Amino acid sequence: MKILIVNGPNLNLLGKREPGIYGNRTFEDYLAGLRNEFPNVVIDYFQSNIEGEIVNALQAADDGSYAGVVLNAGAYTHTSIAIADAIGGISVPVVEVHISCILSREPFRHVSLIAPKCAGSVMGFGLQSYKLGVLSIVSK
C-alpha cells in the first residue's frame, strides 16, 4: 500500500515557525518515525509553497498506485478553490489534516474550502494528526 502526504505553504518551516502552535519538531523528523510505525506502507512525501504544484501533486496521485492522500493544505485550506476542485476531480481519497484545531483559531481559519471534497478531516492533535490520517486510509 502507498500513501502520499502533501504539505502546503510554510509547513517546510515546522520546528522553527510558531513553536507554540506547531511544536519544535521538523516534519522530516516526524515523517521518519511515522514510516517506522507503518512498515508495510510506503509513505511518499511532497511539500510546496506553490498552489499549482499542490494541484499537480494531487492529480499525479490519481495514477492508481496510491490508496489515499493525506493533505495539509496550510493556509490554502481557506482560500484555494483550485485545490478543492483538484480533490473533487480525482478518485483517490484525500484526508484533510491540520496540526492545530483550525476551529479554535482566527475566524478566517474556521472555513475549509477543501473539507467538502475530502473523505474526512483530522485537526488539533499536533503532528499526530498525520498518523490519524494515515490510519484512516490504512483501515479502509
Side-chain angles (χ1 to χ4, degrees):
M1 173 181 287
K2 281 177 56 174
I3 293 174
L4 175 64
I5 295 177
V6 177
N7 271 345
N10 299 310
L11 290 161
N12 57 308
L13 298 177
L14 287 176
K16 297 185 271 188
R17 175 184 173 221
E18 299 178 89
I21 296 172
Y22 300 108
N24 55 12
R25 193 169 181 193
T26 68
F27 190 77
E28 289 74 13
D29 179 51
Y30 175 74
L31 182 59
L34 186 64
R35 285 176 170 148
N36 286 335
E37 287 188 59
F38 294 93
N40 297 322
V41 178
V42 174
I43 300 176
D44 291 336
Y45 175 58
F46 176 80
Q47 188 278 327
S48 180
N49 295 317
I50 301 169
E51 183 179 30
E53 290 181 359
I54 295 167
V55 168
N56 289 342
L58 290 167
Q59 291 175 357
D62 199 30
D63 66 358
S65 69
Y66 288 101
V69 175
V70 173
L71 170 64
N72 185 341
Y76 289 138
T77 299
H78 320 290
T79 64
S80 182
I81 295 168
I83 292 174
D85 285 349
I87 296 166
I90 61 177
S91 61
V92 64
V94 176
V95 177
E96 172 188 26
V97 302
H98 298 284
I99 296 167
S100 66
C101 179
I102 63 173
L103 299 176
S104 64
R105 303 216 25 221
E106 303 92 336
F108 71 87
R109 295 188 196 274
H110 295 183
V111 175
S112 169
L113 297 180
I114 67 172
K117 303 289 185 170
C118 290
S121 301
V122 180
M123 67 179 84
F125 296 99
L127 289 172
Q128 292 300 313
S129 294
Y130 292 91
K131 178 180 178 178
L132 296 171
V134 169
L135 278 170
S136 72
I137 295 167
V138 168
S139 66
K140 286 193 174 185

